[in-house]
Amino acid sequence: MKEKSKKGKLALHWKILLGMLAGVMFSLFLVNTSWGASLTTIKLKGIDVEISRAGLLVRDWIKPFGTMFINALKLIAVPLILASLIKGVSDLKDISKLSKMGFRTIGTYIGTTLIAVSIGLVVVNLVNPGKTITEETRNDLVMSYSQGAGEKISAAAEQKESGPLKALEELVPDNIFKAASNNGNMLQVIVFAIFFGIGLILIPADKSAPVKVFFDGFNEVILKLIDLIMLAAPYGVFALLAALVVEAPSQDLFLALIWYAVSVVIGLFIMILIYIGLVYFFTGRKPGFFLNGISPAQLLAFSTSSSAATLPVTMERVEEHLGVEEEVTSFVLPIGATINMDGTSLYQAVAAIFIAQAFGMELDLYAQLGIVVTATLASIGSAAVPGAGMVMLVIVLAQAGIPEAGLALIFAIDRPLDMLRTTVNVTGDAAVSMLIAKSVGKLGDPKPKDWDDNLVTNS
Ligand code: ASP
């Protein structure tokens, strides 16, 4: 534990990591005591359900703190996007700068997503995880999870019914308050904020100045709220991971899916190496610098499985610890959190081929190229919330003619893989924002403020 803050306190990522470990160990200990393992009956929606005492204790007394922590992060996501994007866009002063950055951002995001899908396809074709699944295991998996996966499958069916331009159509909100009242509409809020920022650039300076000052101050308040929320991060992740451990499905199911999981993990790991390489090559920043700066956001992404909930922290880390100026972070990161999901697209490619293999289908090169396109689009369309990638997977499956019932096959292990792919999603956004910042001359030195120091200095 070398890295300590100026005051001799442990750095934030260590605190979060300790919180995570403590949460896992706490629940593991509890479920292995005879009291914790004993079953008790509770009523769920009027039906008697058996649950372990450990599960009940964690569900009633610990998980709520994790939920409060995630809610607090989500709470500030919409105001943060509004304030920082309006400020960021209006700071650009002229619209040509905005379109230059916009094209580069979208282009780079699509580029990294294509790389991710291709890596997923190569790895899954080398490991061939679906070939290890016997028909019996396949039926077991489908049976034991068809109930739990039912909700996802029906959400997925709705996805399929929408037309090709649906996503584009939904970009433009008809009511900003309605858009801002649902975290799932983040793209609409982004569109409004960019539009508003453009308006601000175009009006006379004496009229725009007070509006800018307002959003500037508003933005500072939100950033301070992130500092405050992050003080609770170690405890929040403790609760989240403790709840995950008691809710985890049986080990046998995990084992049947081990090669599939290994394929996803290898792919995701390669993707992290690629980001580190890209950052080093294009900006000269060392791997240690990049990883140290972004690690608290990565750990939060892992614990929450949501890039949207992690966004406030990603923005603060990239700005203060990686040296990217706010004009870039405010634009590149919210867009990235919603459309750039490299981890998700990689996972969708692996999952699609795995399911095809498990059902004994051979996919030719043409079908696999189709997967590159659909997984790229499906990851763009996935919401930045837990499990969204699995719902959108149905588009990939449908296009390639792979049975949708296959969703039930991968359901058992989706949560841990979701945690990992969300970590990659967030890392990808951070890496791309450094590349864009470098390309427009907005990559400077980090301006780290320690959370606690920051709190003390300003109070
Ligand atoms: N949980 C992911 C995210 O928020 C999306 C997904 O792949 O399910 O980034």
Side-chain angles (χ1 to χ4, degrees):
M1 316 248 156
K2 295 179 278 168
E3 205 189 315
K4 296 197 171 182
S5 73
K6 282 173 241 136
K7 291 186 162 176
K9 285 189 192 146
L10 220 48
L12 182 68
H13 56 269
W14 288 119
K15 287 190 199 161
I16 299 180
L17 210 55
L18 284 178
M20 290 164 71
L21 275 178
V24 171
M25 300 213 318
F26 174 82
S27 279
L28 280 182
F29 172 75
L30 209 62
V31 289
N32 284 307
T33 59
S34 57
W35 178 84
S38 62
L39 296 177
T40 172
T41 311
I42 56 165
K43 275 217 182 308
L44 261 186
K45 294 182 188 155
I47 304 168
D48 283 342
V49 180
E50 284 210 317
I51 176 173
S52 71
R53 285 188 195 279
L56 190 63
L57 180 100
V58 171
R59 194 194 74 158
D60 286 352
W61 296 98
I62 298 196
K63 193 177 175 184
F65 293 99
T67 311
M68 279 161 66
F69 174 63
I70 296 199
N71 283 352
L73 283 170
K74 288 189 190 157
L75 172 71
I76 49 172
V78 167
L80 174 68
I81 292 178
L82 266 181
S84 73
L85 207 51
I86 290 176
K87 178 176 180 303
V89 171
S90 62
D91 279 349
L92 284 173
K93 298 198 182 65
D94 85 69
I95 295 174
S96 66
K97 270 199 200 159
L98 180 67
S99 58
K100 186 164 127 194
M101 198 155 82
F103 279 117
R104 279 188 197 174
T105 304
I106 306 283
T108 318
Y109 277 153
I110 293 178
T112 55
T113 306
L114 288 174
I115 296 177
V117 182
S118 313
I119 290 176
L121 284 178
V122 170
V123 174
V124 73
N125 280 300
L126 288 177
V127 179
N128 282 323
K131 307 227 160 118
T132 59
I133 300 276
T134 61
E135 202 179 324
E136 196 191 335
T137 328
R138 189 177 83 202
N139 293 340
D140 279 357
L141 282 166
V142 173
M143 284 295 290
S144 50
Y145 273 87
S146 51
Q147 238 187 351
E151 263 173 45
K152 297 254 156 154
I153 291 176
S154 54
E158 274 172 33
Q159 277 303 331
K160 255 184 26 190
E161 280 162 18
S162 39
L165 288 187
K166 184 81 181 155
L168 210 60
E169 185 186 320
E170 280 177 355
L171 275 183
V172 184
D174 61 355
N175 182 321
I176 183 56
F177 295 103
K178 208 167 91 195
S181 68
N182 179 351
N183 283 338
N185 287 339
M186 218 100 99
L187 268 182
Q188 298 189 339
V189 177
I190 292 174
V191 167
F192 174 79
I194 294 177
F195 200 35
F196 192 94
I198 292 176
L200 262 186
I201 297 177
L202 295 176
I203 62 174
D206 61 322
K207 295 276 191 308
S208 64
V211 184
K212 279 192 187 171
V213 170
F214 169 78
F215 279 108
D216 202 6
F218 193 82
N219 196 29
E220 276 301 311
V221 176
I222 302 286
L223 290 176
K224 183 53 68 191
L225 295 187
I226 301 173
D227 286 352
L228 294 175
I229 295 170
M230 284 306 281
L231 293 177
Y235 312 101
V237 295
F238 172 92
L240 289 172
L241 286 221
L244 274 181
V245 170
V246 293
E247 285 166 3
S250 87
Q251 267 183 359
D252 301 351
L253 288 174
F254 275 151
L255 285 179
L257 294 169
I258 194 78
W259 286 110
Y260 157 65
V262 166
S263 314
V264 176
V265 172
I266 295 176
L268 293 177
F269 184 70
I270 297 177
M271 216 42 220
I272 297 271
L273 295 181
I274 290 183
Y275 296 137
I276 293 175
L278 285 173
V279 167
Y280 184 63
F281 187 75
F282 286 104
T283 73
R285 299 288 200 270
K286 300 235 168 69
F289 170 86
F290 176 63
L291 291 176
N292 248 335
I294 196 64
S295 52
Q298 289 176 315
L299 294 172
L300 269 197
F302 182 82
S303 312
T304 62
S305 284
S306 167
S307 333
T310 314
L311 177 67
V313 181
T314 318
M315 288 177 75
E316 175 126 22
R317 296 302 297 187
V318 171
E319 210 176 300
E320 292 180 8
H321 294 257
L322 297 179
V324 177
E325 288 184 24
E326 201 196 357
E327 280 161 58
V328 177
T329 53
S330 67
F331 181 77
V332 178
L333 290 173
I335 295 181
T338 34
I339 70 164
N340 183 49
M341 299 200 181
D342 300 340
T344 300
S345 64
L346 186 150
Y347 141 86
Q348 286 171 337
V350 175
I353 303 286
F354 167 73
I355 294 171
Q357 288 177 349
F359 280 94
M361 291 172 66
E362 285 293 337
L363 293 181
D364 56 12
L365 190 65
Y366 180 73
Q368 301 222 7
L369 284 179
I371 290 180
V372 174
V373 178
T374 45
T376 303
L377 294 176
S379 71
I380 292 177
S382 300
V385 296
M390 186 169 165
V391 171
M392 293 303 277
L393 178 62
V394 76
I395 296 186
V396 184
L397 298 181
Q399 195 274 340
I402 303 168
E404 279 155 40
L407 281 189
L409 281 187
I410 55 167
F411 186 75
I413 206 164
D414 197 61
R415 184 62 195 231
L417 295 182
D418 192 5
M419 297 160 84
L420 292 169
R421 65 186 188 246
T422 308
T423 309
V424 171
N425 290 346
V426 166
T427 313
D429 298 342
V432 170
S433 71
M434 287 187 79
L435 304 188
I436 302 290
K438 177 75 184 176
S439 83
V440 295
K442 298 275 176 202
L443 184 64
D445 286 326
K447 326 164 255 317
K449 303 181 208 158
D450 190 80
W451 306 100
D452 313 52
D453 290 349
N454 195 12
L455 192 73
V456 174
T457 11
N458 288 349
S459 56

